[in-house]
Amino acid sequence: VDDYETLKDIVMRISPVPITFEAINSGANGYFSAGEQRIVIKEDLPQLQTIKTMIHEMAHATLGHGGKEDKWDRETKEVQAESVAFWVASMLNLDTSDYSFGYIAGWSKDKEVTELKENLELIKNTADVISQSIEKELVALKEKEDEKIKTQDCQEVKTSGRKKVR
């Protein structure tokens, strides 16, 4: 993943709950704990899987899964979260289709097409919120870097304009 650490930091910054990296022995790559209001990501995952899993778990948190207003069954929650993760990753030019398509197919196999269609607007809106937050952070970071370069250039011009005294 290009600029992996930067992207990872941004996702951690915009997450509605804290994200930690820990050993997970259940086979899951991560989880969102509504009760503890935190996300845990399996440590030592490949970069692409780490970013995708962070976004997947952040989607659970953003959608309020496990909260008092949660009306969705487990299958629907997983389809929603993975669809959001796939959509956001795609907007970041990250291809998670090898993992995401199988995951979504597995969790949606007993669902009717009408049920899946009902979730599309929610998935789209959630993906938009997350991707816009990431974009905002990336733009701010770029502006900060541009300002730093501009300041360095000005300092170099001032330094090079001075006469050397012997």
Side-chain angles (χ1 to χ4, degrees), residues 41-86:
I41 305 297
K42 185 177 185 177
E43 55 192 15
D44 299 326
L45 288 174
Q47 292 179 353
L48 181 61
Q49 189 66 39
T50 297
I51 297 296
K52 200 273 319 156
T53 302
M54 290 171 73
I55 296 167
H56 173 107
E57 300 306 336
M58 195 167 76
H60 280 304
T62 302
L63 289 162
H65 292 165
K68 292 176 184 168
E69 305 295 316
D70 188 0
K71 62 181 181 179
W72 308 105
D73 60 33
R74 174 120 192 257
E75 291 80 11
T76 300
K77 288 188 255 194
E78 292 304 323
V79 169
Q80 289 172 345
E82 190 64 22
S83 296
V84 167
F86 173 76

Side-chain angles (χ1 to χ4, degrees), residues 81-141:
E82 190 64 22
S83 296
V84 167
F86 173 76
W87 197 317
V88 173
S90 294
M91 293 174 151
L92 296 168
N93 294 318
L94 301 175
D95 182 7
T96 65
S97 58
D98 285 348
Y99 182 90
S100 294
F101 289 170
Y103 190 93
I104 292 167
W107 283 103
S108 64
K109 69 180 184 280
D110 296 328
K111 297 289 180 186
E112 296 293 323
V113 173
T114 54
E115 279 183 88
L116 297 171
K117 284 183 178 178
E118 288 172 9
N119 287 292
L120 286 178
E121 193 66 24
L122 180 62
I123 290 165
K124 178 198 174 301
N125 291 340
T126 306
D128 284 348
V129 165
I130 294 172
S131 62
Q132 287 170 8
S133 295
I134 292 171
E135 181 68 23
K136 183 179 174 185
E137 290 290 326
L138 286 169
V139 167
L141 184 63

